[in-house]
Amino acid sequence: ERKERYDDRDSLVSWFTPKDDCPWLYDRLNDIAKHVANVEWDLLQVDAQGNLDCEWEQTQYSVYKTKQHFQAWHQDAFAEGTDPEDARVFSIVVMLTDPAEYKG
């Protein structure tokens, strides 16, 4: 079920544009998307040089402190939806914390 607002998220969230704000991250995520998505499935358009030809959304950066979490299962996009994120082909999640430091 799509919610207007998730009030069960307990974290700090911000947004940024990697291509402008953090080019090395943009290059790395672009490389991952190109090599993972199109190796297994022909999901993304590429130009004549093999570079991805797609639109990128802003990147969400979330910080979960001790005892904070997203309390509800959710999906980011809906196949029959009409919101901008419903056009999303896939999402990349990067965990920055050592897995030994949390459960989940």
Side-chain angles (χ1 to χ4, degrees):
E1 149 192 1
R2 182 181 299 275
K3 294 181 172 185
E4 289 297 318
R5 192 174 78 77
Y6 286 99
D7 56 2
D8 45 7
R9 179 189 295 247
D10 184 15
S11 64
L12 301 172
V13 176
S14 62
W15 301 87
F16 68 98
T17 306
K19 190 171 188 175
D20 300 328
D21 301 326
C22 194
W24 67 267
L25 179 61
Y26 170 81
D27 291 342
R28 184 66 180 126
L29 294 176
N30 193 53
D31 192 49
I32 290 169
K34 181 171 66 175
H35 288 96
V36 172
N38 283 359
V39 167
E40 292 297 324
W41 311 279
D42 189 21
L43 295 174
L44 303 174
Q45 300 287 329
V46 292
D47 64 19
Q49 291 77 36
N51 299 311
L52 291 180
D53 182 20
C54 62
E55 293 180 31
W56 292 84
E57 295 177 53
Q58 282 193 308
T59 296
Q60 177 181 334
Y61 177 75
S62 300
V63 176
Y64 292 88
K65 295 183 180 180
T66 303
K67 304 215 186 242
Q68 287 184 314
H69 52 87
F70 200 98
Q71 299 175 17
W73 285 100
H74 70 285
Q75 65 188 61
D76 291 335
F78 290 79
E80 303 302 321
T82 57
D83 291 339
E85 67 267 15
D86 294 325
R88 190 179 295 156
V89 175
F90 65 89
S91 298
I92 298 173
V93 176
V94 179
M95 305 300 283
L96 302 176
T97 302
D98 183 333
E101 295 184 31
Y102 65 91
K103 291 192 302 187

